[in-house]
C-alpha cells in the first residue's frame, strides 16, 4: 500500500501532469516527467507506471483534439495505423502484468536510457526526414509507409503499452522517415495513436492492475490542461528547452531507480 501523499507531493504530481501533457503533445516523452515524480512520492515502480498510463490518457485525448485541424483527410491512415497499434499496446500491457515486478525494476532503467537517446536523436531524425523528402521524387516510397511502418508501429506500441517513455518520439521517427507528409500532420497522427495505445492499456489495467487513484486523478487533470497548452504552442515553440528538461529528469529517474 502506498504511503499517504502530502499536499506538496500532490502539487508536484499535478504540475508534472501539466508538463507531461504539454511535452507529449509537442514532442512525446512526458512519462519521463511524471514517472520519477510518482516514484518520489513512494509508489512502487509498477504501480507508478500503471497510474501514470491511466492518468495520461485524458492528456493524450486533449492533445489530439488540439491538433484536429491537422487531422483532416487522415482518417484512413489513422484507422490503418491505429489497428496495429492497438494490438501492440494490448500486448505490452499484458507483458507488464505477467512479467515479475523484479523484471520491470531491471528493465525500466534500460528503457529510460534508450528513451533518452531517442529524445536526443529526434532532431537528427527530423533533419533526415527533410533531406529524404527533398531528395526523393514524388513517386518514391509507399504513400502510407507500407509493411515497414505497420511493423514498426506494432512494436513501438507494444513498448508503449509496457512503459511508454519516448513512445511519441518513436512514432515521430518512424512516420517521419516512412511517410511523405508535413511534420505537423504527422505529429497530429502521433497524438491520436498515443491516445489509442494508452487507452487500450488503461482498459487492461483498470480491471487487473494495482494503481493509485489520487495519482491518476492528479495526472489526468494536469495532463488535460497540458494537452491544450501543448497544442497551442507546439506549432511555434522549438522543443530544444523541453528536450533538455526531459533528459535531465530522465537521468534523475534512472539514478533513483538504481539506488532504490
Amino acid at each position: 500500500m502506498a504511503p499517504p501523499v502530502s499536499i506538496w507531493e500532490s502539487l508536484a504530481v499535478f504540475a508534472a501532469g501539466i508538463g507531461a501533457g504539454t511535452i507529449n503533445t509537442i514532442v512525446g516523452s512526458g512519462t519521463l516527467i511524471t514517472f520519477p515524480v510518482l516514484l518520489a512520492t513512494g509508489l512502487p515502480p509498477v504501480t507508478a507506471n500503471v497510474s501514470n498510463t491511466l492518468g495520461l490518457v485524458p492528456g493524450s485525448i486533449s492533445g489530439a483534439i488540439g491538433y484536429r485541424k491537422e487531422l483532416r483527410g487522415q482518417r484512413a491512415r489513422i484507422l490503418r495505423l491505429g489497428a496495429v497499434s492497438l494490438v501492440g499496446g494490448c500486448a505490452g500491457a499484458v507483458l507488464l502484468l505477467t512479467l515479475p515486478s523484479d523484471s520491470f525494476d531491471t528493465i525500466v532503467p534500460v528503457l529510460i536510457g534508450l528513451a533518452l537517446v531517442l529524445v536526443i536523436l529526434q532532431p537528427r531524425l527530423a533533419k533526415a526526414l527533410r533531406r529524404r523528402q527533398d531528395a526523393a521524387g514524388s513517386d518514391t516510397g509507399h504513400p502510407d509507409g507500407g509493411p515497414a511502418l505497420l511493423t514498426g508501429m506494432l512494436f513501438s506500441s507494444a513498448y508503449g503499452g509496457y512503459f511508454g517513455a519516448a513512445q511519441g518520439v518513436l512514432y515521430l521517427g518512424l512516420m517521419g522517415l516512412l511517410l511523405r507528409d508535413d511534420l505537423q500532420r504527422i505529429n497530429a497522427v502521433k497524438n491520436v495513436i498515443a491516445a489509442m495505445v494508452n487507452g487500450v492499456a488503461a482498459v487492461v489495467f483498470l480491471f487487473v492492475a494495482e494503481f493509485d487513484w489520487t495519482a491518476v486523478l492528479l495526472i489526468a487533470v494536469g495532463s488535460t490542461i497540458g494537452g491544450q497548452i501543448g497544442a497551442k504552442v507546439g506549432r511555434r515553440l522549438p522543443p530544444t528547452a523541453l528536450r533538455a528538461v526531459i533528459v535531465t529528469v530522465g537521468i534523475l529517474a534512472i539514478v533513483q531507480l538504481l539506488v532504490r
Side-chain angles (χ1 to χ4, degrees), residues 20-46:
T22 302
I23 292 171
N24 276 342
T25 303
I26 298 173
V27 180
S29 310
T31 290
L32 294 181
I33 300 295
T34 46
F35 184 69
V37 173
L38 292 177
L39 290 179
T41 67
L43 290 179
V46 173

Side-chain angles (χ1 to χ4, degrees), residues 176-199:
L177 291 172
L178 297 173
L179 293 176
R180 301 192 70 244
D181 206 341
D182 178 74
L183 283 173
Q184 291 292 352
R185 281 169 53 83
I186 290 173
N187 195 40
V189 174
K190 177 265 291 181
N191 288 332
V192 174
I193 299 298
M196 294 171 68
V197 171
N198 287 340

Side-chain angles (χ1 to χ4, degrees), residues 50-51 53-55 57 93 96-97 198-213 216-217:
V50 171
S51 302
T53 298
L54 290 168
V57 171
L96 177 67
L97 297 174
N198 287 340
V200 72
V203 170
V204 174
F205 294 153
L206 274 173
F207 291 101
V208 295
E210 181 180 348
F211 53 89
D212 186 285
W213 268 116
V216 171
L217 292 174

Side-chain angles (χ1 to χ4, degrees), residues 114-127:
L114 292 174
L116 293 180
V117 172
L118 288 170
V119 170
I120 293 169
L121 293 180
Q122 196 272 335
R124 296 186 180 182
L125 292 175
K127 289 180 181 178

Side-chain angles (χ1 to χ4, degrees), residues 60-83:
S60 299
I61 295 172
S62 176
I65 292 172
Y67 264 87
R68 59 190 178 276
K69 178 180 177 182
E70 286 78 8
L71 289 172
R72 293 173 184 167
Q74 300 201 77
R75 180 178 179 181
R77 175 182 290 171
I78 291 171
L79 290 175
R80 181 165 46 254
L81 297 179

